[in-house]
């Protein structure tokens, strides 16, 4: 398979978090990803969708769109909401930063997306929603412990 | 699958569900807190034996319970975490506040 695309639109309710990550996992299956890669993508989807539900729409509902594009063994994943947007993207992406410690949010959402995908971009303006673009090369199993350790060190030395 | 909670002496034992995300994490936290408030709980043990998926919501549950019991000298344990879950715990730096055991 060379190219494939899909688009998914669903209500921003927590019931759909599981649906969204399973749908994306099913879509990438033809690329023969490793179990680890599937889990990485599922975690990233879960983080992005949860972010839209809790922060974008402040749990008042709305629509979330996921677009997936496969080109060769390369996955592009775009998660979009039309919610309140992010005031300070750099701040939001800092590990352990959360605007909702009251509801046990860990502040690790963007850090996990960054760690588990090869590339992460966040586009957002206050009042104009949020678009999270993630990329990952699949079917390679490039999970090197060394690399993980580097990510971990960079997170906690900040 | 629902998480199961039981009290053994001063330990609250929580068998975590197969999947942990924002959808079920809020309820797990609330239920655990009811035990922590009503019983003589000192330590909380999270058992991930059945867990096959977790996102940062699970990390939030652990940090939240740590905040509630650590001021009274309580400890949080994470047991039977598979490789994937251990990655999440370590990426979050939780080994500093949670005892991770096999």
């Amino acid at each position: 398979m060379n190219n494939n695309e899909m688009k998914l639109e669903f209500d921003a309710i927590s019931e759909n978090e599981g649906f969204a990550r399973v749908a994306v996992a099913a879509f990438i299956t033809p690329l023969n990803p490793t179990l680890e890669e599937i889990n990485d993508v599922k975690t990233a989807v879960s983080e992005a969708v949860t972010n839209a539900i809790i922060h974008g729409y402040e749990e008042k509902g709305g629509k979330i769109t996921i677009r997936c594009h496969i080109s060769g063994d390369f996955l592009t994943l775009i998660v979009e909401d039309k919610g309140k947007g992010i005031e300070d993207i750099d701040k939001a992406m800092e590990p352990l930063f959360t605007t909702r410690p009251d509801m046990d949010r860990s502040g690790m959402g963007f850090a996990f997306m960054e760690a588990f995908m090869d590339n992460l971009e966040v586009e957002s303006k206050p009042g104009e929603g949020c678009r999270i673009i993630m990329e990952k090369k699949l079917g390679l199993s490039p999970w090197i412990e060394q690399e993980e350790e580097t990510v971990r060190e960079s997170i906690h030395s900040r | 699958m629902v998480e199961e909670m039981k009290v053994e002496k001063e330990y609250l034992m929580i068998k975590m569900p197969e999947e942990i995300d924002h959808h079920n994490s809020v309820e797990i936290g609330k239920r655990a807190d009811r035990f922590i408030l009503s019983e003589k709980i000192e330590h909380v043990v999270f058992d991930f034996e059945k867990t096959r998926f977790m996102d940062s919501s699970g990390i939030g549950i652990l940090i939240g319970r740590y905040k509630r019991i650590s001021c009274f000298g309580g400890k949080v344990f994470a047991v039977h975490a598979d490789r994937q879950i251990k990655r999440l715990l370590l990426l979050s730096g939780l080994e500093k506040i949670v005892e991770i055991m096999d």
Side-chain angles (χ1 to χ4, degrees):
Chain A
M1 182 191 306
N2 288 323
N3 281 287
N4 196 7
E5 221 169 50
M6 72 104 156
K7 185 178 166 182
L8 209 59
E9 190 180 82
F10 52 90
D11 281 326
I13 51 174
S14 68
E15 282 87 339
N16 284 335
E17 290 159 4
F19 159 71
R21 62 177 178 262
V22 170
V24 173
F27 182 74
I28 63 170
T29 304
L31 292 182
N32 288 322
T34 62
L35 270 181
E36 223 138 58
E37 287 171 336
I38 294 176
N39 259 320
D40 289 352
V41 172
K42 280 169 85 175
T43 305
V45 170
S46 212
E47 301 299 350
V49 169
T50 303
N51 181 67
I53 295 171
I54 296 180
H55 302 288
Y57 294 118
E58 296 178 297
E59 299 191 278
K60 291 176 205 135
K63 297 284 182 197
I64 297 173
T65 311
I66 295 184
R67 276 178 289 160
C68 274
H69 178 86
I70 290 171
S71 177
D73 54 4
F74 200 77
L75 167 71
T76 308
L77 184 65
I78 302 170
V79 181
E80 221 174 332
D81 71 65
K82 302 278 177 221
K84 69 166 185 177
I86 299 171
E87 200 103 14
D88 185 341
I89 296 176
D90 289 338
K91 191 87 194 154
M93 291 179 72
E94 270 176 30
L96 303 173
F97 172 81
T98 176
T99 54
R100 302 305 302 271
D102 56 311
M103 48 183 296
D104 276 349
R105 301 310 304 168
S106 64
M108 288 302 290
F110 281 120
F112 283 178
M113 289 183 238
E114 208 166 18
F116 297 151
M117 302 295 279
D118 296 341
N119 198 30
L120 166 70
E121 262 176 65
V122 183
E123 300 173 359
S124 182
K125 278 188 189 144
E128 288 178 28
C130 177
R131 181 189 289 137
I132 299 173
I133 305 157
M134 297 179 274
E135 296 172 323
K136 190 175 178 70
K137 203 168 159 63
L138 295 172
L140 269 182
S141 184
W143 193 63
I144 305 161
E145 304 210 10
Q146 190 78 39
E147 206 171 284
E148 190 97 337
E149 193 51 40
T150 316
V151 172
R152 206 169 102 75
E153 274 167 16
S154 78
I155 287 176
H156 295 288
S157 63
R158 281 181 207 172
Chain B
M1 194 199 302
V2 192
E3 78 290 349
E4 300 154 42
M5 300 192 188
K6 62 176 177 185
V7 179
E8 275 176 31
K9 292 182 185 166
E10 65 274 27
Y11 288 82
L12 173 62
M13 317 285 285
I14 305 176
K15 277 200 187 303
M16 296 296 263
E18 200 170 330
E19 305 220 320
I20 305 161
D21 61 12
H22 157 239
H23 181 57
N24 60 9
S25 66
V26 181
E27 196 53 38
I28 297 172
K30 275 189 199 160
R31 282 195 57 204
D33 286 350
R34 280 200 287 274
F35 276 101
I36 291 169
L37 287 173
S38 61
E39 317 255 351
K40 282 200 158 83
I41 303 292
E42 262 184 62
H43 312 293
V44 181
V45 181
F46 291 93
D47 186 342
F48 291 98
E49 192 170 12
K50 292 185 207 155
T51 306
R52 292 296 159 263
F53 175 84
M54 183 170 97
D55 65 18
S56 67
S57 309
I59 302 297
I61 303 179
L62 268 65
I63 296 178
R65 277 359 92 199
Y66 172 79
K67 284 181 185 163
R68 274 167 190 76
I69 60 168
S70 60
C71 46
F72 304 107
K75 273 187 181 172
V76 174
F77 298 85
V79 300
H80 299 132
D82 67 15
R83 187 169 142 116
Q84 191 76 14
I85 289 163
K86 265 188 201 151
R87 284 173 75 194
L88 300 181
L89 298 174
L90 296 176
L91 270 169
S92 315
L94 279 204
E95 79 280 7
K96 290 174 201 154
I97 58 171
V98 172
E99 297 235 8
I100 303 167
M101 305 191 304
D102 288 322

